[in-house]
Amino acid sequence: EVQLVESGGGLVQPGGSLRLSCAASGFAFSATDMRWVRQRPGQGLEWISTIDSDGSSRSVTSVRGRFTISRDNARNELYLQMNSLEPGDTGMYYCQLAETPDIRAALRSQGTQVTVSS
């Protein structure tokens, strides 16, 4: 059974940083492309960033240069380093297998809350 457990969220001031983690189990993590998605207040889920099994990555324009996705295959963990956070980054963040056809499936995991506010 695929299990994804997100952590690392919190309250941070604008301009601050957070590092999100996602502990993965139940599938061949090292061979799986992974992604982060988020749901901002009052909005639907949106794709943030993807990292392939070979380490190549890509991100939505709004976070490019501020967020960095990475992975540790030895630990079966996915990360999202978020710098220069803005109030507009506030929301619930979820990790997901990149091949998942329905992004809404991300809501099955607990997610981690990020709040950017002064």
Side-chain angles (χ1 to χ4, degrees):
E1 178 188 1
V2 171
Q3 288 198 331
L4 301 167
V5 180
E6 302 90 346
S7 62
L11 172 63
V12 63
Q13 292 186 342
S17 298
L18 284 173
R19 188 195 193 208
L20 306 185
S21 298
C22 169
S25 61
F27 62 100
F29 178 80
S30 63
T32 303
D33 301 345
M34 299 292 296
R35 66 188 180 200
W36 285 98
V37 302
R38 71 181 175 188
Q39 185 170 37
R40 294 185 279 187
Q43 300 186 26
L45 286 162
E46 62 176 329
W47 169 74
I48 296 298
S49 189
T50 294
I51 185 166
D52 293 340
S53 58
D54 66 1
S56 58
S57 64
R58 50 207 171 275
S59 301
V60 68
T61 301
S62 61
V63 307
R64 209 169 293 163
R66 300 190 298 121
F67 292 9
T68 303
I69 190 171
S70 62
R71 63 192 301 156
D72 185 335
N73 290 335
R75 295 178 178 268
N76 281 7
E77 290 192 345
L78 178 72
Y79 307 105
L80 186 67
Q81 177 66 45
M82 306 188 296
N83 299 327
S84 301
L85 282 161
E86 304 168 352
D89 296 316
T90 294
M92 285 291 290
Y93 285 69
Y94 303 88
C95 60
Q96 189 176 44
L97 280 67
E99 66 184 12
T100 307
D102 187 352
I103 194 174
R104 294 170 296 179
L107 298 175
R108 295 175 190 162
S109 59
Q110 66 182 28
T112 187
Q113 174 70 41
V114 172
T115 303
V116 185
S117 175
S118 55

